[in-house]
Amino acid sequence: MTEALFADGYKTTPYWQDVAPSVPLPDTALPPDIDVLIVGGGYTGLNAALQTAGEGLGTLVLDAEHPGWGCSLRNGGQLSTSLKPSFAALTRKYGIELATQLCLEGQASLDYMHALASEDGIDMGLREVGRFHGAHKPHLYDTLAKDSAAGHPVWTTDTFMVPRDEMAAELGTEAYHGGIVFPRHCSIDVGTYHPSLLKKALRTGAKVKGACRVLSIERSSTGFTVLTTEGAVRAGKVILATNGYSGALSSWHQRRLIPIGSYVIATEELPSDLVDRLFPTDRVLSDTRKLVYYYRLSPDRKRVLFGGRVSLSETDPRKSALKLHRDMTALFPELATARISHAWMGFVGYTFDTLMHAVEDNGLYFAGGYCGSGVGMASYLGMRIGQKAAGLEKTPSAFERIPFPTRPFYTGTPWFLAPSVLVYRMRDKFGI
């Protein structure tokens, strides 16, 4: 039965990479010197490159794979204000002024995506479809309702509740006890966003080279010496834009980033009447579990894209696909026979404070730690860190003003995930 769940032609490449148009890269030889070298050709790196190249700085973007191979073409295409901690939690930790600034930057990340979507040459299919966030336990509906009634001290959310007896208009499942809608949250077409961003960076004057892994970054008297698989480059400034794929390139950042696998499946094309019954809206979707599900329809409304964190160490997408299919079917029994056309995984970059960070250390710049909400924030902080490297930024980002914590004995291998996940699974069971 399990083998029958995989469609003919099943692929372990991301659905988005399958549908994304190919962007040919010029045959770029490594220059001996460059003003700004950006490690990573995803959302962060390319948005940074738009700023530095736009200011006339020689800009070189290097990627170990083809640009976008990481989470920029592996994500769910969901846009929100990105911050995980509540305003109350941020206020307790940082005070009301900085908490407010952090929230304002969360809103700014969403606003930036709207602005970017209107620029010539950028095609991201941005739609303000709203997010439905389901209550997987009855008492959690009451918690969401209280939050909705109280509003937010900074954001204008316009949230509204959907009680269980009205769920059919939102979602064809009996698994939720109602939920909340965030009408300002958005979806994008991941398959068009990254390619158009890459084309724009090339037009702006950035040099972009794939299949060129950066091996080391060493300080020199004039900046940095960057060793790659194709030789060395002297760079005045370096932007590290690798997030969950940073690895050991910088031990300081490695001790502060937690790479966590996130897994996604795409179903084969489904009958339109079934899709319309189960998903009467085009909203992006999530729920109140700590071990979160995130899902949506493909932009053409023909497939379900269903993601979650279903495995700690298993990186075989064929095995994680069966777990995701099981969880999807628990929400939507009518999808029990829907076959899987694509299954893939990627590493999101978590942090110990569940906040993203932007850091500069004498010419070495970093933006990352998006904690699984990186589509908008990676783009926005890439832009901000690019402006800073180009000498344009006058006011530091709020994410530069907060400490970037680590933990004793942590060197980049998240040995603590297994007990943490067991705790989260228990909390999800009881809705704690």
Side-chain angles (χ1 to χ4, degrees), residues 109-381:
S109 72
L110 187 54
D111 295 342
Y112 175 70
M113 294 300 285
H114 280 280
L116 192 61
S118 67
E119 292 188 8
D120 287 343
I122 294 293
D123 176 12
M124 67 171 74
L126 189 149
R127 300 175 60 211
E128 195 174 75
V129 294
R131 175 189 304 275
F132 175 80
H133 190 63
H136 79 286
K137 296 291 182 181
H139 68 279
L140 294 176
Y141 178 87
D142 297 332
T143 301
L144 293 175
K146 289 177 183 177
D147 290 343
S148 179
H152 194 279
V154 179
W155 299 328
T156 302
T157 61
D158 295 328
T159 59
F160 60 89
M161 300 303 298
V162 180
R164 188 167 191 172
D165 60 3
E166 297 177 14
M167 275 290 296
E170 281 289 336
L171 206 56
T173 178
E174 297 293 322
Y176 295 132
H177 301 269
I180 189 172
V181 172
F182 297 87
R184 295 173 181 261
H185 291 188
C186 305
S187 66
I188 68 165
D189 186 335
V190 175
T192 61
Y193 174 41
H194 185 272
S196 65
L197 190 64
L198 177 54
K199 291 177 185 176
K200 190 175 182 72
L202 292 168
R203 288 196 306 271
T204 306
K207 296 178 173 64
V208 182
K209 189 173 182 62
C212 184
R213 183 178 296 276
V214 173
L215 303 174
S216 66
I217 302 170
E218 301 292 338
R219 290 191 182 274
S220 67
S221 58
T222 57
F224 299 87
T225 298
V226 179
L227 181 63
T228 80
T229 49
E230 295 194 16
V233 183
R234 293 185 297 271
K237 298 176 180 179
V238 172
I239 297 175
L240 191 61
T242 44
N243 197 36
Y245 293 83
S246 295
L249 201 54
S250 165
S251 59
W252 190 91
H253 295 90
Q254 187 179 31
R255 292 191 61 240
R256 287 158 175 80
L257 287 168
I258 309 165
I260 296 180
S262 193
Y263 300 79
V264 191
I265 58 173
T267 68
E268 62 186 345
E269 292 189 4
L270 301 170
S272 58
D273 59 336
L274 175 63
V275 170
D276 291 342
R277 185 166 64 254
L278 298 183
F279 302 93
T281 74
D282 282 329
R283 301 201 197 283
V284 294
L285 303 152
S286 57
D287 63 30
T288 50
R289 290 175 175 84
K290 302 294 182 185
L291 296 176
V292 65
Y293 297 140
Y294 54 96
Y295 53 106
R296 58 173 291 186
L297 293 178
S298 58
D300 60 8
R301 286 186 60 85
K302 291 182 178 180
R303 303 168 188 262
V304 176
L305 310 182
F306 191 90
R309 296 182 182 99
V310 293
S311 178
L312 290 177
S313 58
E314 177 56 62
T315 56
D316 179 355
R318 196 175 186 91
K319 294 181 179 179
S320 60
L322 296 174
K323 297 177 182 179
L324 283 172
H325 192 278
R326 176 201 63 203
D327 294 345
M328 179 182 71
T329 300
L331 295 176
F332 304 100
E334 288 179 85
L335 296 179
T337 58
R339 297 192 300 173
I340 302 165
S341 65
H342 299 72
W344 67 97
M345 65 85 62
F347 287 105
V348 299
Y350 259 75
T351 60
F352 287 102
D353 57 4
T354 65
L355 284 171
M356 51 289 302
H357 290 265
V359 180
E360 190 262 329
D361 177 22
N362 295 316
L364 178 62
Y365 299 81
F366 167 83
Y370 306 120
C371 300
S373 297
V375 176
M377 190 57 79
S379 302
Y380 170 74
L381 280 185

